[in-house]
Amino acid sequence: MKNFISVHDVSDVNALVGKALAYKADPFRDKTLGANKRAGLLFLNPSMRTRLSTRIAANNLGMDAIVFNIDKEGWALELEEGAVMNGTTVEHVKDAAPVLGQYFDILCVRTFPSLTNKADDYGEAVINQFIRYAGIPVVSLESATLHPLQSLADIITIKETFAEKRKPRVVLTWAPHVKALPQCVANSFAQWVNAWGEADFVITHPEGYALDEKFTNGAVITHNQDEALQGADYIYVKNWSSYQDYGKILSTDPSWMLTNAKRALTNNAKVMHCLPVRRNVELSDEILDGPGSLVTQEAGNRVWSAQAVFGEILKEC
Ligand code: CP
């Protein structure tokens, strides 16, 4: 594996999940694989789970990991080609990224979309510049459109909790939120579940919230949440802003928030969310504190997701 930006960087999803679960069973089985190697964890945006789980994963492999909160501690980055830098930006990414490539063996980048410029966001303008100029493997810690380490952790969580000899019914449902959030987690979950191919996959959202078809093709899509929830084994709850009316909030309808009454429609479904979550807006207390919630286990699996990806990259660098 050279870079880890999307599921397309993975040749065999099940093999990568297997590797992650092997690390979960024995975290230090490759404790010298990353000896004398260093990962840079570059954050342009806030994070708790990604920042800590990725660092733990690197340490488990014997790799040094340095966190750099470039948005707060670094120079203001310019990303536009040909920019006349007479404003607030101080350093161009094409100058900064090659320097980071000198300091690190793997560069991990967390960036969010603008939610105002769809072409730039869906062209992955930021992370692609780091790939172009750093000269070392780049791992996405969430980009403008995708969150692959999260999605790998999500598949790990489904695999380790589903014991039946049939495909699970997995439902991705939109939920209300007070802020306009990226489509990344939903795009990425759809992309990974479709590529994995071992679930009956349904997406439900209000009108105006259709995701980019390049991620959702292969899923059944409905605006009827109750219908989607019938017989569900897993419910993946997430808010996203509109893709068509880009970055806009078109609905805050509280009836889309998952409750025990809605969960009663399912096959005793497990409930997933990437966290952080706004309680009693995006997801109810009764679900988050109830027996079906997998959110803590899911976040714990972020360590094994990152460790499996580092393990693959370190084999080649
Ligand atoms: N799920 C997730 O990426 O969490 P953080 O934003 O805290 O890293």
Side-chain angles (χ1 to χ4, degrees), residues 46-51 110 142 147 150 274-276 302:
S47 159
M48 182 178 87
R49 279 144 291 269
T50 306
R51 178 181 266 100
R110 155 70 75 106
E142 187 170 349
H147 197 352
Q150 179 66 53
C274 63
L275 302 179
R302 292 292 306 276

Side-chain angles (χ1 to χ4, degrees), residues 158-312:
I158 294 172
K159 281 274 276 190
E160 71 179 352
T161 54
F162 194 69
E164 295 185 43
K165 289 195 175 3
R166 61 172 175 87
K167 286 184 172 185
R169 179 175 169 90
V170 176
V171 178
L172 167 63
T173 181
W174 181 91
H177 203 285
V178 291
K179 278 186 68 183
L181 298 189
Q183 297 97 36
C184 313
V185 170
N187 284 342
S188 196
F189 185 71
Q191 185 191 49
W192 278 73
V193 173
N194 280 328
W196 181 42
E198 295 191 12
D200 291 325
F201 186 34
V202 180
I203 302 173
T204 184
H205 54 72
E207 289 194 29
Y209 281 94
L211 295 163
D212 187 340
E213 285 178 7
K214 80 176 177 219
F215 304 121
T216 60
N217 266 339
V220 171
I221 299 171
T222 172
H223 296 141
N224 186 331
Q225 190 191 43
D226 286 357
E227 186 182 284
L229 293 175
Q230 304 281 341
D233 298 298
Y234 293 87
I235 313 168
Y236 199 100
V237 179
K238 187 71 185 86
N239 170 267
W240 61 87
S241 58
S242 176
Y243 170 66
Q244 293 106 307
D245 197 354
Y246 192 60
K248 297 287 188 307
I249 297 175
L250 307 181
S251 170
T252 53
D253 180 355
S255 74
W256 276 79
M257 185 180 73
L258 192 68
T259 56
N260 280 343
K262 283 182 179 281
R263 186 168 170 260
L265 300 169
T266 72
N267 183 29
N268 199 23
K270 304 284 188 198
V271 180
M272 303 175 70
H273 187 286
C274 63
L275 302 179
V277 65
R278 293 211 184 206
R279 280 177 173 252
N280 303 311
V281 176
E282 201 180 2
L283 245 181
S284 58
D285 277 342
E286 62 185 15
I287 291 285
L288 283 163
D289 299 333
S293 175
L294 285 180
V295 298
T296 304
Q297 183 173 340
E298 185 184 354
N301 283 335
R302 292 292 306 276
V303 172
W304 320 116
S305 156
Q307 193 165 338
V309 168
F310 281 150
E312 285 299 297

Side-chain angles (χ1 to χ4, degrees), residues 46-85:
S47 159
M48 182 178 87
R49 279 144 291 269
T50 306
R51 178 181 266 100
L52 298 176
S53 63
T54 311
R55 198 161 172 196
I56 293 164
N59 290 346
N60 287 350
L61 295 168
M63 180 166 59
D64 193 15
I66 296 179
V67 172
F68 181 32
N69 300 308
I70 193 167
D71 58 328
K72 298 184 186 68
E73 299 159 351
W75 300 111
L77 269 189
E78 177 60 57
L79 299 159
E80 195 182 316
E81 185 63 36
V84 177
M85 291 172 54

Side-chain angles (χ1 to χ4, degrees), residues 98-206:
V99 175
L100 297 170
Q102 298 286 305
Y103 296 159
F104 299 112
D105 300 285
I106 301 174
L107 184 63
C108 308
V109 180
R110 155 70 75 106
T111 180
F112 286 164
S114 65
L115 292 182
T116 55
N117 186 329
K118 187 174 182 175
D120 274 3
D121 290 346
Y122 274 71
E124 292 287 7
V126 177
I127 204 151
N128 280 340
Q129 298 219 53
F130 282 101
I131 293 170
R132 182 170 176 197
Y133 295 117
I136 56 173
V138 172
V139 171
S140 168
L141 301 177
E142 187 170 349
S143 68
T145 67
L146 294 169
H147 197 352
L149 286 174
Q150 179 66 53
S151 306
L152 175 55
D154 299 334
I155 304 281
I156 292 165
T157 308
I158 294 172
K159 281 274 276 190
E160 71 179 352
T161 54
F162 194 69
E164 295 185 43
K165 289 195 175 3
R166 61 172 175 87
K167 286 184 172 185
R169 179 175 169 90
V170 176
V171 178
L172 167 63
T173 181
W174 181 91
H177 203 285
V178 291
K179 278 186 68 183
L181 298 189
Q183 297 97 36
C184 313
V185 170
N187 284 342
S188 196
F189 185 71
Q191 185 191 49
W192 278 73
V193 173
N194 280 328
W196 181 42
E198 295 191 12
D200 291 325
F201 186 34
V202 180
I203 302 173
T204 184
H205 54 72

